[in-house]
Amino acid sequence: MLMGGRIRLWMIAASSVGLVALGAVSWLSYRSTQELIAANQRLVQAHKLIEDLTALHVLLDDAESNCRGYALSGKADYLRPYDDALAQLDVTMQVLRHDLAPDRDRSRQVQELEPVIQARLDVMKELVQARTEGGFDAAVRIVRSDRGKRLSDEIRQQIAVVQNEERNDLLDRERESRERARSTILAVGLTCLLGIALLLAASIVIYRLNRQSEKDHVALQNAERIQRTILNSAAYSMISTDTAGVIQTVNAAAEKWLQYKGAELIGSNVSSVHDTSELQSRGEQLTRAMGMPVPGDYQALVTKARYGVADEFECSYVRKDGTRFPVLLAVTALGGGGNDLAGYLMISADLSEQHAMRKMKDEFVSIVSHELRTPLTSIKGALGLLARGVTGALPPKAGEMAHIALTNADRLSRLVDDILDLQRIESGRIAMDKRTCDIAHLMKQSVESVHLVAEGEGITIAISHCQASIKADRERMVQAFVNLLGNAIKFSRRGNGIEFAAERSGSSVIFRVRDEGRGIPKDKLERIFERFEQVDASDAREKGGTGLGLAICRSIVEQHGGRVWAESELGRGSTFYVQLPLAEAEAVAAN
Ligand code: ADP
């Protein structure tokens, strides 16, 4: 896995754990804070209760002293503060009742206190009334009864009990509140620490990710630069297109060879740098070979590659000024096949020099062959006369020599004929006299030409064919088949059989020459169609071949718009195929 990917995975895992931990600690600190607030509230309530009880006590004392003052002096001045104290007492009692409602025990204690206070207030009222109505003596009697003092003592006692209990509670609550405060501080502190740690971790990860992506970016830029340099320094033209053949990129060689600026080529269809008629005929050829319609546009270049077949062929590139030059073009599909297809890469090598060389060589060979032909004919004639003893009987040794010389002169003359033949066919100097030919007739004629040799070798030829006709130069076609049959005989063993068959395939007919001979190695199957290519260097000597037969055969077949190829299994035999278009009327019927 890439570095960035690993870091990202770690980051997701760490942030999930961190978030869960942060959530837990935050919840803890929320709980602690809530509890701290509640504990503080309870503290405040306790303080307030103690204060309210003290106020109650003070108000009672106040009312009592003013009541006594009135009783002793009879002055009405004492009655106002007495009444005020009573009013405030009432309010204080209400507040106490309200505040203590949630606390059952304290509520009960205050409720128990209330009748005693009421009784004390009643005694005060009685004293005031007695002084007002009965004078000093009546008041003294009430004071002497000591009822007021007993009630006051009882009230003081009860208030003291409640206050003491509340003070004890207060101490407990203060301790509890301190503990809560400590755990709250701890929880909040932990939350902050965890938060800081998470922030730190996130910053480190982001920093590392940034550094990694910067590195990746630089590496990508370098790779692109290297790639561009390689492409531009290549001695091949490289053009990439999308799936519709629209040019996407071109390298320096393509710009130079085609004399366009890259920007002029990008966006145009690749067919614009090809020869239209070449595309047309390649389209037709592929249509026949693949049994499906292949349009004569960019598709003639890419169809094979699209189906995953390696495609390499010779064609022409057209420069900006309209001139053309030959190239060997290799087309590769980019991306996977089918839906993943991203486009095509077209790599081509300039064949101008090779073609010029080949032309020179051909011309040279042609001239030499022409020059050889006339003296060879007279050498062959003279040797023939000598060998046959027309010029007089030769001693046995000399006769043998004359025979060897004649055989080799024949070989040389065949070679010269083949060279000149190939030269003429390839250059188009021999016009193909194409007429409608019945294939059965063509095949029969071809077999007749070789049947004596086959018989001599003890080899049988089995013919099977369909009803069909082709447009062909009969003589040349027979020449091509005779060459294939001749090879099959040459490379078979005595007693082997040869099959010569023809079958329709769409709008074409496929001929097959199958033998049971020595076979051809896989890597030679293509090469044997080149001039002077033989599987074994001794073939020319032992089998009397020139290495030109298959090249001539291919030229003839291609001049008829067909193709020839071979399949073989070493030691078990070879099959040569010739595919040719059916005569027009039959092709129409076939479609
Ligand atoms: P040649 O005159 O040497 O036969 P060709 O061009 O006809 O020239 O054939 C080229 C070479 O291909 C042969 O020399 C031989 O090595 C190989 N070859 C052709 N046909 C066969 C075959 N039927 N079986 C085995 N090898 C073959």
Side-chain angles (χ1 to χ4, degrees):
M1 199 190 290
L2 284 172
M3 181 74 171
R6 255 205 324 260
I7 292 179
R8 224 160 273 142
L9 257 185
W10 271 108
M11 200 174 88
I12 291 167
S15 53
S16 312
V17 172
L19 278 178
V20 170
L22 194 65
V25 175
S26 303
W27 186 77
L28 260 179
S29 92
Y30 169 75
R31 277 273 313 267
S32 298
T33 314
Q34 289 290 97
E35 282 169 4
L36 181 67
I37 291 169
N40 277 339
Q41 265 174 357
R42 280 199 296 275
L43 266 182
V44 170
Q45 277 168 5
H47 276 294
K48 191 161 179 287
L49 179 61
I50 291 169
E51 275 171 22
D52 285 350
L53 286 172
T54 309
L56 188 74
H57 196 208
V58 168
L59 284 169
L60 266 175
D61 278 354
D62 200 19
E64 201 177 307
S65 69
N66 282 302
C67 179
R68 282 224 183 98
Y70 177 68
L72 288 174
S73 67
K75 285 184 186 168
D77 291 352
Y78 285 102
L79 286 180
R80 171 103 56 88
Y82 165 73
D83 286 339
D84 286 350
L86 286 188
Q88 279 184 42
L89 252 173
D90 193 36
V91 172
T92 308
M93 278 311 292
Q94 278 181 27
V95 170
L96 265 174
R97 255 183 252 124
H98 173 266
D99 288 353
L100 291 176
D103 188 339
R104 271 236 211 109
D105 286 346
R106 293 276 179 270
S107 234
R108 189 179 37 77
Q109 282 173 316
V110 171
Q111 271 169 18
E112 281 170 7
L113 189 63
E114 268 190 72
V116 187
I117 292 172
Q118 195 52 53
R120 181 68 188 99
L121 292 180
D122 289 346
V123 173
M124 282 185 217
K125 243 189 232 164
E126 227 176 280
L127 185 62
V128 170
Q129 199 177 359
R131 180 66 175 94
T132 311
E133 290 167 7
F136 182 76
D137 291 338
V140 168
R141 262 195 310 276
I142 288 177
V143 172
R144 273 197 190 139
S145 74
D146 272 352
R147 267 196 301 140
K149 186 177 176 301
R150 277 199 311 274
L151 284 168
S152 288
D153 288 345
E154 197 180 331
I155 289 169
R156 197 174 304 116
Q157 224 175 344
Q158 282 196 22
I159 285 178
V161 169
V162 176
Q163 278 185 327
N164 281 341
E165 280 180 14
E166 198 60 28
R167 273 195 196 98
N168 286 340
D169 268 12
L170 194 64
L171 285 177
D172 287 346
R173 282 173 196 176
E174 271 174 353
R175 204 177 317 114
E176 186 195 352
S177 176
R178 266 200 305 279
E179 273 163 22
R180 290 264 172 259
R182 216 172 297 134
S183 59
T184 305
I185 289 168
L186 195 72
V188 172
L190 259 179
T191 314
C192 290
L193 273 180
L194 202 66
I196 290 168
L198 274 178
L199 259 176
L200 260 175
S203 323
I204 291 169
V205 170
I206 289 168
Y207 170 74
R208 286 192 63 180
L209 272 180
N210 269 348
R211 261 206 7 204
Q212 187 58 38
S213 82
E214 262 169 37
K215 270 195 214 159
D216 289 350
H217 186 66
V218 171
L220 198 72
Q221 273 184 335
N222 284 342
E224 270 178 11
R225 211 171 299 139
I226 292 168
Q227 212 174 30
R228 219 174 307 127
T229 313
I230 292 171
L231 289 183
N232 285 338
S233 58
Y236 296 96
S237 140
M238 294 187 198
I239 296 177
S240 71
T241 73
D242 64 6
T243 49
V246 177
I247 297 177
Q248 305 295 307
T249 60
V250 291
N251 74 341
E255 286 180 279
K256 196 171 146 211
W257 294 1
L258 293 163
Q259 297 170 347
Y260 282 102
K261 291 245 173 304
E264 292 174 296
L265 285 172
I266 291 167
S268 58
N269 197 284
V270 72
S271 54
S272 62
V273 295
H274 281 266
D275 183 308
T276 322
S277 60
E278 264 183 22
L279 290 182
Q280 199 64 42
S281 68
R282 186 168 159 81
E284 285 164 14
Q285 196 186 326
L286 287 180
T287 302
R288 278 193 301 276
M290 299 178 79
M292 55 180 268
V294 179
D297 52 19
Y298 81 95
Q299 298 190 64
L301 302 169
V302 302
T303 301
K304 273 174 95 175
R306 192 170 71 223
Y307 288 100
V309 184
D311 201 10
E312 201 177 85
F313 52 94
E314 283 190 24
C315 60
S316 307
Y317 263 180
V318 182
R319 295 191 187 93
K320 194 177 179 181
D321 62 9
T323 55
R324 60 200 59 209
F325 61 101
V327 290
L328 179 67
L329 183 66
V331 185
T332 314
L334 296 173
N339 291 340
D340 291 339
L341 184 72
Y344 302 96
L345 177 64
M346 300 178 178
I347 303 178
S348 50
D350 189 348
L351 295 181
S352 306
E353 260 180 44
Q354 267 165 274
H355 274 213
M357 286 287 289
R358 198 194 295 168
K359 203 167 159 230
M360 259 173 61
K361 198 181 81 190
D362 288 352
E363 276 167 10
F364 174 75
V365 172
S366 164
I367 292 166
V368 171
S369 308
H370 264 296
E371 293 306 314
L372 282 177
R373 210 177 191 188
T374 324
L376 249 179
T377 315
S378 52
I379 292 171
K380 252 172 63 183
L383 282 174
L385 291 177
L386 274 177
R388 283 201 302 276
V390 179
T391 53
L394 292 174
K397 198 78 189 159
E400 206 180 306
M401 294 286 214
H403 258 108
I404 293 173
L406 184 61
T407 314
N408 280 296
D410 270 342
R411 234 180 91 196
L412 201 57
S413 140
R414 257 202 322 276
L415 180 64
V416 168
D417 286 347
D418 278 356
I419 290 172
L420 290 173
D421 215 13
L422 186 62
Q423 200 72 43
R424 283 201 298 267
I425 298 170
E426 280 192 346
S427 65
R429 261 184 284 142
I430 298 182
M432 296 285 152
D433 181 17
K434 290 185 195 164
R435 290 160 199 261
T436 306
C437 309
D438 178 43
I439 62 163
H441 194 217
L442 259 181
M443 290 167 80
K444 201 165 150 247
Q445 199 179 338
S446 308
V447 172
E448 271 166 9
S449 306
V450 296
H451 99 273
L452 277 180
V453 190
E455 250 176 41
E457 297 290 326
I459 290 166
T460 49
I461 303 176
I463 301 189
S464 70
H465 58 79
C466 55
Q467 282 297 321
S469 48
I470 54 172
K471 268 229 157 190
D473 182 318
R474 177 181 298 277
E475 240 178 80
R476 290 293 168 185
M477 221 56 222
V478 170
Q479 183 186 353
F481 288 139
V482 165
N483 184 67
L484 295 180
L485 289 167
N487 280 348
I489 296 167
K490 255 195 312 195
F491 297 101
S492 289
R493 286 173 286 264
R494 181 163 278 278
N496 280 166
I498 291 172
E499 184 198 5
F500 186 24
E503 271 169 26
R504 276 168 180 264
S505 166
S507 55
S508 61
V509 58
I510 297 180
F511 295 89
R512 192 171 65 226
V513 178
R514 189 204 306 272
D515 66 54
E516 300 167 336
R518 68 175 198 195
I520 303 162
K522 283 248 160 341
D523 60 323
K524 296 272 166 62
L525 282 174
E526 274 286 327
R527 294 234 319 256
I528 50 172
F529 290 94
E530 302 291 327
R531 301 156 191 213
F532 304 113
E533 284 291 343
Q534 291 178 315
V535 172
D536 204 315
S538 62
D539 283 352
R541 221 177 329 107
E542 287 169 13
K543 308 281 181 186
T546 59
L548 285 172
L550 287 178
I552 293 174
C553 184
R554 186 172 68 179
S555 273
I556 294 173
V557 173
E558 283 179 358
Q559 296 278 333
H560 284 81
R563 64 185 188 116
V564 54
W565 72 99
E567 286 171 6
S568 179
E569 219 178 309
L570 263 186
R572 306 196 63 169
S574 316
T575 309
F576 283 77
Y577 297 91
V578 172
Q579 184 173 25
L580 289 167
L582 283 168
E584 245 151 55
E586 292 191 34
V588 170
N591 284 323

